[in-house]
Amino acid sequence: MERFIMKDLIKWKNRKDRKPLVIKGVRQCGKTYILKQFGEENYEDTAYFNFEGNPALAARFEQDLDPKRIIMELGVLIGRKINQHKTLIIFDEIQFCNAALTSLKYFYEQTPEYHIVCAGSLIGITLSKPLSFPVGKVDFLTLRPMSFPEFIIANDEEMLFEYIRNLNTQDQIPQMFADKLITLYKTYLITGGMPEVVAKWKETEDISEVERIQDVILNAYELDFAKHAPVSDIPKLSLIWKSIPDQLSKESGKFVYGHVKPGARAKDLEDALQWLINAGMVYKVLKIEKPAMPLSAYSDPSYFKLYMADTGLLRRMSRLPASSIYKDSALYTEFKGAMTENFVLNELINLHGEVPFYWKSGNTAEVDFIVQLEERIFPIEVKASTNVKSRSLGVYREKYKPEISIRSSLMNFKMDEGLLNIPLYLIWNIEKFVNS
Protein backbone atom coordinates (compact mmCIF):
# COMPACT_ATOMS: atom_id res chain seq x y z
CA MET A 1 0.00 0.00 0.00
CA GLU A 2 1.33 3.40 -0.97
CA ARG A 3 2.29 5.73 1.89
CA PHE A 4 3.07 9.35 1.13
CA ILE A 5 5.88 9.39 3.72
CA MET A 6 7.99 7.40 1.23
CA LYS A 7 8.79 10.65 -0.60
CA ASP A 8 10.12 12.16 2.63
CA LEU A 9 12.24 9.07 3.29
CA ILE A 10 13.82 9.35 -0.17
CA LYS A 11 14.55 13.04 0.44
CA TRP A 12 16.24 12.08 3.70
CA LYS A 13 18.37 9.46 1.93
CA ASN A 14 19.60 12.01 -0.61
CA ARG A 15 20.41 14.83 1.82
CA LYS A 16 24.07 15.70 2.20
CA ASP A 17 23.50 16.74 5.83
CA ARG A 18 21.59 13.55 6.61
CA LYS A 19 21.38 12.53 10.27
CA PRO A 20 20.09 9.29 11.80
CA LEU A 21 16.32 9.33 11.34
CA VAL A 22 13.74 8.64 14.03
CA ILE A 23 10.22 7.69 12.90
CA LYS A 24 7.56 8.46 15.48
CA GLY A 25 4.05 7.10 15.35
CA VAL A 26 1.28 5.35 17.21
CA ARG A 27 1.39 1.55 17.49
CA GLN A 28 0.24 -0.39 14.40
CA CYS A 29 0.39 2.57 12.00
CA GLY A 30 2.90 0.78 9.73
CA LYS A 31 6.34 2.09 10.75
CA THR A 32 8.20 -1.22 10.46
CA TYR A 33 6.53 -2.12 7.18
CA ILE A 34 7.30 1.20 5.51
CA LEU A 35 10.94 1.19 6.63
CA LYS A 36 11.50 -2.33 5.31
CA GLN A 37 9.83 -1.38 2.03
CA PHE A 38 11.99 1.75 1.87
CA GLY A 39 15.10 -0.40 2.31
CA GLU A 40 14.05 -2.95 -0.30
CA GLU A 41 13.32 -0.29 -2.91
CA ASN A 42 16.22 2.09 -2.33
CA TYR A 43 19.21 0.11 -0.98
CA GLU A 44 21.21 -2.93 -1.96
CA ASP A 45 20.69 -4.42 1.50
CA THR A 46 18.65 -3.86 4.66
CA ALA A 47 19.94 -4.77 8.14
CA TYR A 48 16.96 -5.02 10.51
CA PHE A 49 17.34 -5.07 14.31
CA ASN A 50 14.49 -5.21 16.86
CA PHE A 51 15.36 -4.26 20.45
CA GLU A 52 12.19 -5.58 22.07
CA GLY A 53 13.04 -8.73 24.04
CA ASN A 54 16.52 -8.91 22.50
CA PRO A 55 19.21 -8.59 25.21
CA ALA A 56 21.92 -9.86 22.86
CA LEU A 57 21.31 -6.87 20.62
CA ALA A 58 21.18 -4.39 23.51
CA ALA A 59 24.51 -5.79 24.77
CA ARG A 60 26.25 -4.49 21.66
CA PHE A 61 25.71 -0.98 23.05
CA GLU A 62 26.75 -1.63 26.67
CA GLN A 63 30.55 -1.77 26.33
CA ASP A 64 30.88 1.69 24.79
CA LEU A 65 29.25 3.74 22.06
CA ASP A 66 31.98 3.45 19.43
CA PRO A 67 29.98 3.32 16.19
CA LYS A 68 32.62 1.39 14.22
CA ARG A 69 32.74 -1.40 16.81
CA ILE A 70 28.94 -1.48 17.00
CA ILE A 71 28.62 -1.71 13.21
CA MET A 72 31.13 -4.57 13.08
CA GLU A 73 29.35 -6.53 15.81
CA LEU A 74 25.95 -5.92 14.26
CA GLY A 75 27.33 -7.38 11.03
CA VAL A 76 28.44 -10.47 12.96
CA LEU A 77 24.93 -10.80 14.42
CA ILE A 78 23.28 -10.91 10.99
CA GLY A 79 26.10 -12.81 9.29
CA ARG A 80 27.00 -10.26 6.62
CA LYS A 81 28.89 -7.00 6.25
CA ILE A 82 27.05 -3.71 6.74
CA ASN A 83 28.20 -1.42 3.94
CA GLN A 84 28.41 2.36 3.96
CA HIS A 85 25.77 4.03 1.74
CA LYS A 86 24.58 0.63 0.44
CA THR A 87 22.94 -0.81 3.57
CA LEU A 88 19.94 0.64 5.36
CA ILE A 89 20.22 -0.03 9.09
CA ILE A 90 16.85 -0.25 10.86
CA PHE A 91 16.67 -0.03 14.66
CA ASP A 92 13.11 -1.04 15.57
CA GLU A 93 11.51 -0.51 19.00
CA ILE A 94 14.59 1.50 19.89
CA GLN A 95 12.91 2.88 23.01
CA PHE A 96 13.77 -0.43 24.71
CA CYS A 97 17.49 0.47 24.64
CA ASN A 98 18.47 3.88 25.97
CA ALA A 99 22.12 3.33 25.04
CA ALA A 100 21.11 2.77 21.40
CA LEU A 101 19.23 6.07 21.43
CA THR A 102 22.29 7.82 22.82
CA SER A 103 24.54 6.14 20.25
CA LEU A 104 22.79 8.01 17.43
CA LYS A 105 24.81 11.08 18.39
CA TYR A 106 28.07 9.24 17.73
CA PHE A 107 26.84 7.67 14.52
CA TYR A 108 26.07 11.18 13.28
CA GLU A 109 29.35 12.74 14.43
CA GLN A 110 31.77 9.92 13.63
CA THR A 111 30.20 7.76 10.90
CA PRO A 112 27.65 9.83 8.98
CA GLU A 113 28.20 7.62 5.93
CA TYR A 114 25.96 4.95 7.47
CA HIS A 115 22.23 5.26 6.83
CA ILE A 116 20.32 4.62 10.07
CA VAL A 117 16.56 4.78 10.62
CA CYS A 118 14.87 4.11 13.95
CA ALA A 119 11.28 3.41 14.95
CA GLY A 120 9.35 2.77 18.11
CA SER A 121 5.67 2.47 18.93
CA LEU A 122 6.09 4.55 22.08
CA ILE A 123 9.03 6.70 21.02
CA GLY A 124 7.07 9.82 21.95
CA ILE A 125 6.92 8.56 25.54
CA THR A 126 10.66 7.89 25.50
CA LEU A 127 11.47 11.35 24.19
CA SER A 128 9.45 12.95 26.98
CA LYS A 129 11.67 11.38 29.65
CA PRO A 130 14.96 12.91 30.89
CA LEU A 131 17.25 10.54 29.01
CA SER A 132 20.53 11.20 27.24
CA PHE A 133 18.77 11.81 23.98
CA PRO A 134 20.93 13.19 21.14
CA VAL A 135 19.17 16.52 20.72
CA GLY A 136 20.08 18.14 17.41
CA LYS A 137 21.83 14.98 16.18
CA VAL A 138 18.83 13.23 14.60
CA ASP A 139 16.13 13.93 12.05
CA PHE A 140 12.45 13.21 12.76
CA LEU A 141 9.46 12.10 10.74
CA THR A 142 6.01 11.11 12.01
CA LEU A 143 3.95 8.32 10.50
CA ARG A 144 0.25 8.37 11.25
CA PRO A 145 -2.58 6.03 10.30
CA MET A 146 -3.35 6.07 6.58
CA SER A 147 -4.95 9.28 5.40
CA PHE A 148 -8.10 9.27 3.32
CA PRO A 149 -6.24 9.84 0.01
CA GLU A 150 -3.93 6.92 0.88
CA PHE A 151 -7.05 4.87 1.60
CA ILE A 152 -8.47 5.73 -1.83
CA ILE A 153 -5.28 4.50 -3.51
CA ALA A 154 -5.19 1.37 -1.32
CA ASN A 155 -8.65 0.51 -2.66
CA ASP A 156 -7.31 0.48 -6.24
CA GLU A 157 -8.76 3.86 -7.13
CA GLU A 158 -5.54 5.54 -8.31
CA MET A 159 -7.23 7.13 -11.32
CA LEU A 160 -10.01 8.53 -9.13
CA PHE A 161 -7.38 9.96 -6.79
CA GLU A 162 -5.50 11.60 -9.67
CA TYR A 163 -8.76 13.07 -10.92
CA ILE A 164 -9.79 14.65 -7.62
CA ARG A 165 -6.24 15.76 -6.82
CA ASN A 166 -6.36 18.08 -9.81
CA LEU A 167 -9.79 19.57 -9.13
CA ASN A 168 -10.32 23.27 -8.50
CA THR A 169 -13.11 24.96 -6.57
CA GLN A 170 -14.64 26.12 -9.85
CA ASP A 171 -15.23 22.48 -10.80
CA GLN A 172 -18.33 20.47 -10.03
CA ILE A 173 -17.76 16.81 -9.21
CA PRO A 174 -19.99 14.59 -11.36
CA GLN A 175 -22.57 12.78 -9.24
CA MET A 176 -21.31 9.31 -10.15
CA PHE A 177 -17.84 10.23 -8.86
CA ALA A 178 -19.27 11.97 -5.80
CA ASP A 179 -21.30 8.85 -4.96
CA LYS A 180 -18.21 6.65 -5.18
CA LEU A 181 -16.20 9.06 -3.01
CA ILE A 182 -18.96 9.24 -0.41
CA THR A 183 -19.03 5.44 -0.22
CA LEU A 184 -15.25 5.36 0.20
CA TYR A 185 -15.50 8.08 2.85
CA LYS A 186 -18.11 6.16 4.83
CA THR A 187 -16.04 3.00 4.55
CA TYR A 188 -13.03 4.90 5.87
CA LEU A 189 -15.04 6.06 8.88
CA ILE A 190 -15.66 2.39 9.59
CA THR A 191 -12.18 0.98 8.98
CA GLY A 192 -10.00 3.95 9.83
CA GLY A 193 -6.44 4.08 8.58
CA MET A 194 -4.56 1.36 10.45
CA PRO A 195 -2.76 -0.46 7.60
CA GLU A 196 -3.56 -3.98 8.86
CA VAL A 197 -7.24 -3.07 9.12
CA VAL A 198 -7.27 -1.53 5.63
CA ALA A 199 -5.47 -4.58 4.21
CA LYS A 200 -8.01 -6.91 5.83
CA TRP A 201 -10.88 -4.87 4.38
CA LYS A 202 -9.34 -4.94 0.93
CA GLU A 203 -8.79 -8.69 1.21
CA THR A 204 -12.18 -9.70 2.60
CA GLU A 205 -14.63 -6.75 2.58
CA ASP A 206 -15.87 -8.38 5.77
CA ILE A 207 -16.75 -5.97 8.59
CA SER A 208 -16.46 -8.71 11.21
CA GLU A 209 -12.86 -9.34 10.14
CA VAL A 210 -12.16 -5.60 10.22
CA GLU A 211 -13.53 -5.36 13.74
CA ARG A 212 -11.52 -8.38 14.85
CA ILE A 213 -8.29 -6.63 13.86
CA GLN A 214 -9.45 -3.38 15.45
CA ASP A 215 -10.13 -5.23 18.71
CA VAL A 216 -6.62 -6.69 18.61
CA ILE A 217 -5.15 -3.20 18.22
CA LEU A 218 -7.30 -1.76 21.01
CA ASN A 219 -6.27 -4.60 23.31
CA ALA A 220 -2.62 -3.96 22.45
CA TYR A 221 -3.05 -0.32 23.46
CA GLU A 222 -4.45 -1.38 26.83
CA LEU A 223 -1.49 -3.73 27.29
CA ASP A 224 0.85 -0.83 26.56
CA PHE A 225 -0.65 1.00 29.53
CA ALA A 226 0.31 -1.88 31.79
CA LYS A 227 3.77 -2.42 30.27
CA HIS A 228 5.05 1.11 29.82
CA ALA A 229 3.09 3.63 31.90
CA PRO A 230 3.82 4.54 35.53
CA VAL A 231 1.95 2.10 37.78
CA SER A 232 -0.03 4.90 39.42
CA ASP A 233 -1.28 6.11 36.02
CA ILE A 234 -2.50 2.80 34.58
CA PRO A 235 -6.09 2.97 35.91
CA LYS A 236 -6.32 6.65 34.94
CA LEU A 237 -5.11 5.95 31.40
CA SER A 238 -7.75 3.31 30.86
CA LEU A 239 -10.51 5.54 32.24
CA ILE A 240 -9.50 8.53 30.09
CA TRP A 241 -9.09 6.38 26.99
CA LYS A 242 -12.48 4.71 27.33
CA SER A 243 -14.24 8.01 28.07
CA ILE A 244 -13.29 9.67 24.76
CA PRO A 245 -16.25 8.46 22.64
CA ASP A 246 -18.72 9.45 25.34
CA GLN A 247 -17.13 12.87 25.86
CA LEU A 248 -17.14 13.62 22.13
CA SER A 249 -20.78 12.64 21.83
CA LYS A 250 -21.81 15.33 24.31
CA GLU A 251 -23.25 18.48 22.72
CA SER A 252 -20.28 20.69 23.64
CA GLY A 253 -17.66 17.99 23.10
CA LYS A 254 -15.54 19.61 25.80
CA PHE A 255 -13.37 17.22 27.76
CA VAL A 256 -14.49 17.17 31.39
CA TYR A 257 -12.25 15.46 33.94
CA GLY A 258 -15.26 14.78 36.14
CA HIS A 259 -16.79 12.66 33.37
CA VAL A 260 -13.77 10.36 33.53
CA LYS A 261 -14.17 9.74 37.22
CA PRO A 262 -16.67 11.44 39.54
CA GLY A 263 -14.93 14.18 41.49
CA ALA A 264 -11.72 14.00 39.43
CA ARG A 265 -9.85 17.24 38.75
CA ALA A 266 -7.18 18.23 36.28
CA LYS A 267 -4.32 17.67 38.73
CA ASP A 268 -5.52 14.07 39.24
CA LEU A 269 -5.51 13.09 35.56
CA GLU A 270 -3.35 15.51 33.55
CA ASP A 271 -0.17 13.38 33.75
CA ALA A 272 -2.04 10.35 32.43
CA LEU A 273 -3.62 12.47 29.69
CA GLN A 274 -0.20 13.75 28.64
CA TRP A 275 1.01 10.14 28.40
CA LEU A 276 -1.72 9.42 25.84
CA ILE A 277 -0.80 12.55 23.89
CA ASN A 278 2.92 11.69 23.88
CA ALA A 279 2.08 8.17 22.74
CA GLY A 280 0.31 9.66 19.69
CA MET A 281 -2.98 8.02 20.63
CA VAL A 282 -5.00 11.20 21.14
CA TYR A 283 -5.01 14.83 20.00
CA LYS A 284 -5.79 17.73 22.30
CA VAL A 285 -7.60 20.58 20.52
CA LEU A 286 -7.50 23.78 22.57
CA LYS A 287 -10.10 26.53 22.55
CA ILE A 288 -9.21 30.04 21.44
CA GLU A 289 -11.28 33.17 21.96
CA LYS A 290 -9.58 35.28 19.29
CA PRO A 291 -8.25 34.21 15.86
CA ALA A 292 -4.93 36.05 15.85
CA MET A 293 -1.34 34.96 15.25
CA PRO A 294 0.14 33.03 16.80
CA LEU A 295 -3.01 31.10 17.60
CA SER A 296 -1.34 29.37 20.55
CA ALA A 297 -1.00 32.72 22.32
CA TYR A 298 -4.79 33.04 22.44
CA SER A 299 -5.56 29.47 23.55
CA ASP A 300 -6.96 28.28 26.86
CA PRO A 301 -5.08 25.14 28.04
CA SER A 302 -7.85 24.33 30.52
CA TYR A 303 -10.60 24.18 27.86
CA PHE A 304 -10.15 21.54 25.19
CA LYS A 305 -11.56 18.61 23.24
CA LEU A 306 -9.92 15.22 22.97
CA TYR A 307 -9.97 13.28 19.70
CA MET A 308 -8.49 9.95 18.64
CA ALA A 309 -5.74 9.36 16.10
CA ASP A 310 -7.91 6.94 14.12
CA THR A 311 -11.61 7.21 13.28
CA GLY A 312 -12.00 3.47 12.84
CA LEU A 313 -10.83 2.81 16.39
CA LEU A 314 -13.13 5.57 17.64
CA ARG A 315 -16.08 3.88 15.93
CA ARG A 316 -15.12 0.46 17.28
CA MET A 317 -14.65 1.77 20.81
CA SER A 318 -18.08 3.39 20.66
CA ARG A 319 -19.56 0.05 19.47
CA LEU A 320 -21.29 1.86 16.64
CA PRO A 321 -22.44 -0.67 14.01
CA ALA A 322 -20.98 -0.15 10.56
CA SER A 323 -24.47 -0.41 9.10
CA SER A 324 -25.45 2.79 10.94
CA ILE A 325 -22.86 4.73 8.94
CA TYR A 326 -23.73 3.23 5.57
CA LYS A 327 -27.48 3.71 6.12
CA ASP A 328 -27.24 7.11 7.88
CA SER A 329 -29.35 5.67 10.69
CA ALA A 330 -31.26 8.18 12.81
CA LEU A 331 -29.80 6.43 15.87
CA TYR A 332 -26.35 7.51 14.69
CA THR A 333 -27.24 11.20 14.31
CA GLU A 334 -25.84 12.48 17.61
CA PHE A 335 -22.48 10.71 17.26
CA LYS A 336 -22.19 11.49 13.55
CA GLY A 337 -20.91 15.00 14.22
CA ALA A 338 -18.14 13.72 16.50
CA MET A 339 -17.03 11.10 13.98
CA THR A 340 -16.97 13.66 11.19
CA GLU A 341 -15.01 16.17 13.26
CA ASN A 342 -12.47 13.48 14.15
CA PHE A 343 -12.08 12.63 10.45
CA VAL A 344 -11.51 16.26 9.45
CA LEU A 345 -9.07 16.79 12.33
CA ASN A 346 -6.94 13.82 11.27
CA GLU A 347 -6.82 15.06 7.69
CA LEU A 348 -5.80 18.57 8.85
CA ILE A 349 -3.03 17.19 11.07
CA ASN A 350 -1.73 15.17 8.12
CA LEU A 351 -0.99 18.44 6.31
CA HIS A 352 1.86 19.66 8.51
CA GLY A 353 1.62 17.73 11.76
CA GLU A 354 0.06 20.66 13.58
CA VAL A 355 -3.04 20.31 15.75
CA PRO A 356 -5.54 23.09 15.00
CA PHE A 357 -7.66 24.95 17.54
CA TYR A 358 -11.36 25.61 17.89
CA TRP A 359 -13.22 28.84 18.65
CA LYS A 360 -15.90 29.41 21.21
CA SER A 361 -17.51 32.67 22.26
CA GLY A 362 -19.13 32.20 25.64
CA ASN A 363 -22.22 30.04 25.23
CA THR A 364 -23.34 31.71 22.03
CA ALA A 365 -21.26 30.27 19.19
CA GLU A 366 -18.61 27.67 18.38
CA VAL A 367 -16.58 26.89 15.25
CA ASP A 368 -15.13 23.40 14.98
CA PHE A 369 -11.59 24.23 13.84
CA ILE A 370 -9.39 27.27 13.36
CA VAL A 371 -6.31 26.64 11.22
CA GLN A 372 -3.36 28.78 10.27
CA LEU A 373 -2.00 28.14 6.79
CA GLU A 374 1.11 30.27 6.37
CA GLU A 375 -0.01 33.83 7.18
CA ARG A 376 -3.76 33.26 6.85
CA ILE A 377 -6.26 32.03 9.41
CA PHE A 378 -9.33 30.05 8.34
CA PRO A 379 -12.40 28.98 10.31
CA ILE A 380 -13.67 25.49 9.42
CA GLU A 381 -17.20 24.39 10.16
CA VAL A 382 -17.77 20.63 9.85
CA LYS A 383 -21.13 19.26 8.76
CA ALA A 384 -21.76 15.52 8.64
CA SER A 385 -24.24 15.59 5.72
CA THR A 386 -25.84 18.08 3.32
CA ASN A 387 -27.66 19.99 6.08
CA VAL A 388 -25.29 22.94 6.25
CA LYS A 389 -27.05 25.61 8.29
CA SER A 390 -24.61 27.11 10.80
CA ARG A 391 -25.44 30.04 13.03
CA SER A 392 -22.07 29.80 14.80
CA LEU A 393 -20.03 30.28 11.65
CA GLY A 394 -22.23 33.27 10.81
CA VAL A 395 -21.45 34.80 14.22
CA TYR A 396 -17.71 34.26 13.64
CA ARG A 397 -17.83 35.77 10.15
CA GLU A 398 -19.75 38.79 11.35
CA LYS A 399 -17.30 39.39 14.17
CA TYR A 400 -13.93 38.77 12.44
CA LYS A 401 -14.63 39.26 8.70
CA PRO A 402 -12.36 36.43 7.48
CA GLU A 403 -11.24 36.55 3.85
CA ILE A 404 -12.48 32.98 3.32
CA SER A 405 -14.51 30.74 5.61
CA ILE A 406 -14.58 26.98 5.09
CA ARG A 407 -17.50 24.66 5.45
CA SER A 408 -16.81 20.95 4.92
CA SER A 409 -19.83 18.75 4.22
CA LEU A 410 -21.12 16.18 1.74
CA MET A 411 -22.20 18.99 -0.61
CA ASN A 412 -20.32 19.68 -3.83
CA PHE A 413 -17.97 22.65 -4.25
CA LYS A 414 -19.69 25.96 -3.68
CA MET A 415 -18.41 29.49 -3.10
CA ASP A 416 -20.97 31.89 -1.70
CA GLU A 417 -19.78 35.38 -0.68
CA GLY A 418 -16.53 34.18 0.90
CA LEU A 419 -17.98 30.92 2.25
CA LEU A 420 -16.33 27.98 0.50
CA ASN A 421 -17.86 24.51 0.78
CA ILE A 422 -15.26 21.76 0.44
CA PRO A 423 -16.57 18.17 0.29
CA LEU A 424 -15.48 16.14 3.30
CA TYR A 425 -13.69 13.67 1.06
CA LEU A 426 -11.51 16.52 -0.31
CA ILE A 427 -10.65 18.41 2.89
CA TRP A 428 -7.13 16.92 2.70
CA ASN A 429 -6.49 19.25 -0.26
CA ILE A 430 -7.63 22.41 1.54
CA GLU A 431 -4.40 24.31 0.90
CA LYS A 432 -4.86 24.11 -2.85
CA PHE A 433 -8.51 25.13 -2.66
CA VAL A 434 -8.01 28.26 -0.52
CA ASN A 435 -5.32 29.40 -2.95
CA SER A 436 -7.18 28.67 -6.19
Side-chain angles (χ1 to χ4, degrees):
M1 291 184 288
E2 181 177 342
R3 301 301 305 272
F4 296 159
I5 197 174
M6 186 66 78
K7 295 177 183 178
D8 296 315
L9 290 170
I10 293 171
K11 287 180 183 178
W12 169 81
K13 177 183 185 291
N14 295 329
R15 277 207 297 265
K16 292 182 179 179
D17 60 345
R18 182 189 59 256
K19 303 174 183 177
L21 178 66
V22 173
I23 303 287
K24 299 188 294 180
V26 70
R27 177 185 284 278
Q28 299 288 339
C29 69
K31 297 180 295 298
T32 301
Y33 179 90
I34 197 67
L35 290 180
K36 287 183 175 180
Q37 181 184 357
F38 172 57
E40 290 174 4
E41 295 178 357
N42 295 277
Y43 291 84
E44 293 182 13
D45 184 34
T46 298
Y48 175 80
F49 304 95
N50 190 324
F51 285 94
E52 184 172 10
N54 194 341
L57 175 59
R60 309 280 69 76
F61 296 80
E62 292 173 358
Q63 177 180 333
D64 56 46
L65 296 178
D66 176 14
K68 292 183 179 179
R69 176 194 62 78
I70 292 172
I71 289 289
M72 181 187 68
E73 293 188 10
L74 291 178
V76 172
L77 274 180
I78 62 173
R80 63 184 186 275
K81 183 179 180 181
I82 295 175
N83 295 298
Q84 304 172 3
H85 303 296
K86 297 180 180 181
T87 302
L88 178 67
I89 302 169
I90 301 176
F91 290 155
D92 204 358
E93 301 294 356
I94 194 173
Q95 76 274 7
F96 284 96
C97 183
N98 293 341
L101 274 168
T102 305
S103 74
L104 299 180
K105 170 184 177 182
Y106 302 97
F107 278 109
Y108 168 65
E109 293 177 345
Q110 299 177 28
T111 55
E113 62 273 16
Y114 287 99
H115 294 216
I116 299 175
V117 291
C118 312
S121 57
L122 294 173
I123 196 71
I125 299 296
T126 303
L127 300 184
S128 68
K129 297 178 180 177
L131 302 172
S132 301
F133 191 78
V135 178
K137 308 297 183 181
V138 296
D139 292 322
F140 288 100
L141 285 174
T142 300
L143 183 65
R144 300 179 180 84
M146 295 179 72
S147 64
F148 183 61
E150 289 174 324
F151 179 79
I152 294 174
I153 295 171
N155 280 274
D156 300 323
E157 294 287 357
E158 293 91 345
M159 292 183 66
L160 179 61
F161 169 71
E162 286 300 322
Y163 168 74
I164 62 175
R165 187 168 67 91
N166 293 305
L167 288 173
N168 293 304
T169 55
Q170 296 81 15
D171 299 319
Q172 284 292 293
I173 304 165
Q175 193 60 49
M176 62 180 297
F177 294 161
D179 290 343
K180 179 178 285 191
L181 287 162
I182 289 171
T183 298
L184 284 166
Y185 161 71
K186 290 182 177 181
T187 303
Y188 182 81
L189 291 184
I190 294 165
T191 65
M194 291 298 183
E196 187 178 359
V197 177
V198 175
K200 182 59 67 176
W201 168 254
K202 183 179 177 182
E203 174 192 349
T204 67
E205 294 192 356
D206 185 338
I207 295 296
S208 64
E209 282 296 292
V210 163
E211 292 180 343
R212 181 180 64 82
I213 301 298
Q214 289 172 329
D215 287 341
V216 169
I217 295 173
L218 289 170
N219 288 334
Y221 284 178
E222 294 266 0
L223 290 173
D224 279 342
F225 299 161
K227 286 171 59 178
H228 302 289
V231 175
S232 61
D233 283 346
I234 293 172
K236 303 173 188 176
L237 286 165
S238 185
L239 287 170
I240 294 172
W241 177 243
K242 291 177 179 178
S243 80
I244 294 173
D246 180 58
Q247 301 242 21
L248 281 176
S249 66
K250 297 288 190 293
E251 186 175 352
S252 70
K254 177 193 175 186
F255 185 84
V256 179
Y257 288 102
H259 290 172
V260 176
K261 183 179 180 181
R265 295 172 292 178
K267 68 174 185 176
D268 303 318
L269 299 175
E270 58 189 1
D271 286 348
L273 174 56
Q274 192 60 47
W275 194 97
L276 291 170
I277 294 169
N278 291 341
M281 297 169 67
V282 301
Y283 297 123
K284 186 179 183 180
V285 178
L286 301 179
K287 182 191 78 168
I288 60 167
E289 295 185 359
K290 180 181 178 181
M293 293 188 287
L295 288 170
S296 59
Y298 300 90
S299 65
D300 181 355
S302 67
Y303 206 110
F304 60 91
K305 297 183 182 182
L306 211 59
Y307 294 89
M308 290 178 59
D310 184 74
T311 56
L313 296 184
L314 172 64
R315 181 201 65 87
R316 185 58 183 155
M317 278 182 63
S318 70
R319 290 301 184 260
L320 181 72
S323 58
S324 297
I325 295 177
Y326 280 134
K327 297 177 182 177
D328 285 326
S329 168
L331 297 176
Y332 160 54
T333 301
E334 290 188 3
F335 195 64
K336 185 187 294 187
M339 284 279 292
T340 311
E341 287 176 25
N342 211 134
F343 167 80
V344 170
L345 173 69
N346 292 344
E347 296 303 305
L348 293 174
I349 291 174
N350 279 325
L351 290 176
H352 302 294
E354 298 175 1
V355 179
F357 299 83
Y358 79 102
W359 174 80
K360 188 175 179 67
S361 178
N363 294 318
T364 61
E366 180 179 311
V367 174
D368 297 310
F369 299 113
I370 307 295
V371 297
Q372 180 178 332
L373 302 177
E374 296 182 349
E375 296 182 355
R376 302 158 78 193
I377 293 175
F378 300 94
I380 302 177
E381 182 76 7
V382 177
K383 292 296 182 180
S385 62
T386 55
N387 181 5
V388 294
K389 292 182 179 180
S390 175
R391 187 185 65 83
S392 289
L393 185 57
V395 171
Y396 180 99
R397 297 180 71 200
E398 179 65 27
K399 186 170 185 177
Y400 297 111
K401 305 294 190 297
E403 171 193 357
I404 297 177
S405 298
I406 307 296
R407 180 181 59 216
S408 192
S409 72
L410 290 181
M411 286 179 55
N412 216 316
F413 282 120
K414 183 180 180 181
M415 175 67 89
D416 184 13
E417 296 181 350
L419 176 58
L420 173 63
N421 188 87
I422 299 176
L424 287 163
Y425 46 80
L426 289 175
I427 194 65
W428 52 271
N429 213 8
I430 183 176
E431 289 184 305
K432 175 183 178 181
F433 299 143
V434 296
N435 291 314
S436 62

